[in-house]
Amino acid sequence: MKYCVECGSEYQDSVKACADCPEGQLVDPETMRQRGLPMAHERDTRQFVRAGTAEDPLTAEDYVRLLEAERIPVIARPQGSGSVDALTTGNVLPWWEILVPAEHSVRAIDLLAREKDNLKATEAEAIRAAEDEERESEGFGAPPPA
Ligand SMILES: [Zn+2]
């Protein structure tokens, strides 16, 4: 299947151009996802609202998996990675907008908040573990007391 980048309509692979959009390029679903473009079945009557944001692609992926596991349709859209911004300010980091249908937003926001806490706890634990390891190796490496 291929999808129109303009309107998200689905087409057979043999079709060369969108019937509705003369400029509409047809691409595979992977490309649609990479560009954060919703496909036709994702832009139906439902209204997608922001349930949260992620600061890196791994977190965005984690959120998407989490919401999909709860059977909540989700779109992760990269934001703020414009090359112009990056040139003028030098340090614009991309972030990801996590979108869910409005009727799922309350639950999704709750789930993402909890997941964020989990990730933070895991991170803190990893830092603690790394510090412990450092202390241990320092201990072993220390010269014997005189
Ligand atoms: Zn189209």
Side-chain angles (χ1 to χ4, degrees):
M1 282 297 172
K2 292 199 291 193
Y3 297 84
C4 171
V5 296
E6 296 292 330
C7 70
S9 292
E10 191 179 276
Y11 287 100
Q12 300 289 341
D13 285 336
S14 57
V15 178
K16 293 277 178 278
C18 177
D20 299 321
C21 317
E23 303 290 310
Q25 197 194 339
L26 301 184
V27 300
D28 55 47
E30 188 57 29
T31 307
M32 291 295 278
R33 261 192 292 276
Q34 275 168 2
R35 296 193 197 171
L37 297 168
M39 291 173 240
H41 63 271
E42 290 175 339
R43 58 162 92 191
D44 52 18
T45 52
R46 281 182 306 223
Q47 209 192 332
F48 277 72
V49 298
R50 188 195 290 179
T53 58
E55 280 157 28
D56 58 78
L58 287 179
T59 309
E61 239 172 71
D62 183 71
Y63 287 174
V64 168
R65 263 200 306 270
L66 172 84
L67 294 174
E68 279 177 347
E70 296 289 328
R71 298 184 180 280
I72 296 174
V74 54
I75 302 173
R77 200 153 51 185
Q79 301 283 327
S81 51
S83 53
V84 175
D85 286 353
L87 283 176
T88 50
T89 67
N91 62 347
V92 172
L93 296 169
W95 52 281
W96 278 257
E97 190 177 34
I98 311 295
L99 301 167
V100 300
E103 70 263 30
H104 289 295
S105 66
V106 173
R107 213 166 120 244
I109 287 167
D110 186 50
L111 285 165
L112 289 188
R114 253 184 284 171
E115 179 68 3
K116 203 169 241 176
D117 285 347
N118 281 347
L119 291 176
K120 241 186 257 163
T122 313
E123 205 175 292
E125 211 165 278
I127 290 169
R128 256 199 313 273
E131 281 171 356
D132 284 352
E133 212 165 276
E134 212 166 280
R135 257 196 304 278
E136 268 169 37
S137 59
E138 266 167 26
F140 288 128

